[in-house]
Amino acid sequence: MGSVGFDLDMTLADTRAGIAAVYDELALRIGVAIDSAAVVARLGPPLELELANWLPAEEIPAAVAVFRSLYPSTAVPATTLMPGARQAVDAVRRAGGRVIVVTGKNPLDAARTVEFLGLEVDEIAGSVFGAAKGPAITDFGALAYVGDHIADIDAARAGGVVSVAVATGHYPAGKLRDHGADVVLGDLTEFAEWFDGWRIPAALV
């Protein structure tokens, strides 16, 4: 069988256009220059950490509130599936496995994104990053965690599961491998073949 955890942004969902649009509108509303291209080039960390690059700490909570008010109507409709995402989730479910999405995105917007994309998942854990994803992965009983960021490799390590990295975000395959990923895929179009070969021995562990 083999239940699996997935990251969301740039793993299952291409959120770049939508997030850039929200940041552009946020910049206009609060009167602060934000380079949205730079932001989307390093997607992964939670919103508060990214905003710390542009705003003093005391201004971040208000900016978060504006950002989140814009996200459902601006970012979600502009989100698309990453190549192979639906097939990857379907491969796990077809084998009798369960799927959890564990993401730095807040739970409400994560759920909206997953629903908009029509992905069938069993659970969503949001507002966690790096090793802080570990407890959700462990509690769910996943045997592998899939992500595009080096922090997702740390997440898999913290959860005690196989780290599957996809080179679809900021980090190329070599960087992901050097950081200790157990498996490196070009993108999720390669996932089903890997999973089908891995899941039988994994289920026996």
Side-chain angles (χ1 to χ4, degrees):
M1 192 167 59
S3 296
V4 176
F6 289 88
D7 175 51
L8 186 56
D9 290 12
M10 300 311 297
T11 299
L12 291 173
D14 188 343
T15 52
R16 290 173 293 187
I19 288 177
V22 174
Y23 271 101
D24 289 342
E25 179 62 23
L26 173 66
L28 288 173
R29 293 198 182 194
I30 65 176
V32 173
I34 298 176
D35 184 348
S36 60
V39 171
V40 298
R42 56 175 178 246
L43 289 179
L47 173 61
E48 293 83 354
L49 291 182
E50 178 57 47
L51 286 172
N53 294 310
W54 311 99
L55 298 169
E58 65 272 15
E59 295 180 16
I60 290 175
V64 166
V66 174
F67 185 99
R68 289 187 174 158
S69 73
L70 295 168
Y71 200 95
S73 60
T74 301
V76 172
T79 301
T80 58
L81 285 165
M82 293 295 288
R86 191 179 308 283
Q87 293 86 346
V89 171
D90 288 349
V92 177
R93 303 200 69 85
R94 187 169 59 247
R98 299 166 68 236
V99 174
I100 184 173
V101 170
V102 190
T103 174
K105 192 182 299 299
N106 74 88
L108 281 176
D109 286 332
R112 291 181 180 112
T113 300
V114 168
E115 181 180 6
F116 176 77
L117 295 174
L119 294 172
E120 187 180 354
V121 309
D122 298 283
E123 192 170 314
I124 296 170
S127 297
V128 285
F129 183 63
K133 293 182 175 183
I137 295 168
T138 301
D139 291 347
F140 185 75
L143 297 178
Y145 182 67
V146 186
D148 65 283
H149 199 285
I150 58 172
D152 294 325
I153 300 169
D154 299 335
R157 291 282 171 269
V161 302
V162 172
S163 169
V164 182
V166 285
T168 50
H170 176 66
Y171 295 94
K175 292 283 188 182
L176 296 167
R177 196 171 290 110
D178 290 347
H179 198 74
D182 297 307
V183 178
V184 178
L185 306 176
D187 60 30
L188 285 179
T189 63
E190 302 172 14
F191 176 85
E193 182 177 359
W194 169 81
F195 178 76
D196 288 342
W198 167 83
R199 65 182 174 85
I200 296 175
L204 299 176
V205 174

